[in-house]
Amino acid sequence: MSVALKTPSAGAVTHALGAAYRRLADICETLAVRVVEPGHESQAAVTAAELASDRSVLDAFVDAEAARIHARYGVAARRDVAASRALHGYAWTLGVLLGGTWYLERRVPRIRPEDLRLDLTTGTYEITPGTELACLPSDPLAALPGTLTTPQEESLRAALRRSTADHMRPLLAAIGPVARRGARSLWGMVADDLVSGIWYLGRMLGQEATAVRAATDVLPIAVPPYPAAAFRHLAGDDGRRHITRTRTGCCMFYAIKPAEACVTCPRTSDAERLRRLQN
């Protein structure tokens, strides 16, 4: 695959990415993220780079999630459960930012580990738009410095998979032992959150079927280190076909509220999925 690499530059690319992230925050009700300009980052927030390199910061990340779980559900979560939930929140946020920008604009940002930060007290994320993205040759930004042009849609999807993996790999290595999870489960969670982020965005836009096809195109089969998207349909008593999939990297909510496992949890039967989807 041939690509054309240009010298990174701030300006137009940063502006375009900031606009895309703001649009995603407006559309996605549960995306708790705000866009900040370079030089205006919160000093109280922690970055993935710090989480991956400083064990005390990682411990604070897990402690903060455990505190939120206790405040919200009245449950003292095991440390591995709190670590998994914290990782899920981070991976889902990244998945919406990367996958959502790709879905809406066919652009794939490079989000460096220091560009995405989390306020441990509030659980709110902030993103600083970067200076690099991948796009198709027909994109208006293709000729600008800071862009990596890819020749076709599949190479752009490959850039999305690569950008996600490059960002998450150091964090997975750091948090894996705390979450007591191996590589398959960790990368399964990253894939789940990338796919579900696109799926969620589609539902918010009234484009669920289109978003499911797009997410399936990103991971039509297992593409190391990711498993396949693996959407499927359930036939309901209402005569409709309901879309579902089963998470590969469990988000561990069942360990907090056993009777309320997620609708895509491996522990949730198809009958229970249909009951919820039809209601």
Side-chain angles (χ1 to χ4, degrees):
M1 179 180 70
S2 62
V3 295
L5 183 62
K6 305 174 183 65
T7 304
S9 172
V13 170
T14 298
H15 178 78
L17 290 177
Y21 299 152
R22 290 185 181 92
R23 183 182 177 194
L24 287 167
D26 287 342
I27 295 170
C28 301
E29 297 175 358
T30 59
L31 180 63
V33 66
R34 63 187 188 93
V35 181
V36 298
E37 298 303 320
H40 294 83
E41 296 87 353
S42 170
Q43 297 304 307
V46 301
T47 68
E50 293 170 319
L51 292 171
S53 62
D54 188 330
R55 180 56 188 262
S56 66
V57 176
L58 184 69
D59 286 341
F61 177 60
V62 176
D63 290 343
E65 183 64 25
R68 278 191 290 272
I69 291 170
H70 188 269
R72 188 173 301 164
Y73 304 108
V75 174
R78 299 192 319 259
R79 191 156 187 78
D80 62 304
V81 171
S84 292
R85 294 294 299 171
L87 177 62
H88 167 49
Y90 190 100
W92 187 84
T93 300
L94 181 75
V96 175
L97 291 171
L98 285 172
T101 303
W102 167 79
Y103 179 79
L104 292 176
E105 303 190 6
R106 287 302 188 264
R107 293 170 178 165
V108 177
R110 178 188 174 218
I111 300 179
R112 302 173 304 165
E114 56 267 36
D115 291 338
L116 185 60
R117 288 166 299 282
L118 171 65
D119 186 315
L120 298 182
T121 302
T122 65
T124 300
Y125 287 85
E126 65 178 32
I127 177 76
T128 301
T131 61
E132 298 174 76
L133 60 78
C135 64
L136 296 169
S138 59
D139 192 293
L141 297 182
L144 295 178
T147 63
L148 176 72
T149 56
T150 65
Q152 56 192 4
E153 289 280 0
E154 173 49 34
S155 56
L156 191 62
R157 292 190 289 267
L160 174 59
R161 295 189 293 265
R162 185 168 55 252
S163 186
T164 303
D166 288 348
H167 185 102
M168 289 300 301
R169 190 173 286 109
L171 179 56
L172 298 188
I175 204 170
V178 185
R180 297 172 61 186
R181 289 176 169 232
R184 179 180 181 277
S185 179
L186 291 169
W187 284 109
M189 179 179 286
V190 174
D192 289 333
D193 290 324
L194 176 59
V195 166
S196 66
I198 298 168
W199 185 14
Y200 169 76
L201 176 60
R203 292 200 303 274
M204 294 299 98
L205 292 169
Q207 302 171 1
E208 182 175 27
T210 301
V212 166
R213 287 193 296 271
T216 299
D217 286 342
V218 173
L219 288 170
I221 60 173
V223 181
Y226 307 108
F231 283 95
R232 57 194 178 92
H233 290 84
L234 299 175
D237 297 335
D238 55 3
R240 294 175 56 201
R241 296 173 74 238
H242 299 273
I243 298 171
T244 190
R245 64 181 299 273
T246 299
R247 291 185 65 95
T248 301
C250 181
C251 73
M252 299 298 285
F253 187 72
Y254 83 93
I256 298 169
K257 301 282 283 186
E260 300 176 21
C262 299
V263 71
T264 54
C265 180
R267 294 162 180 78
T268 303
S269 68
D270 282 355
E272 173 61 14
R273 294 180 190 214
L274 276 173
R275 185 189 70 78
R276 296 193 205 176
L277 291 168
Q278 291 179 142
N279 291 336

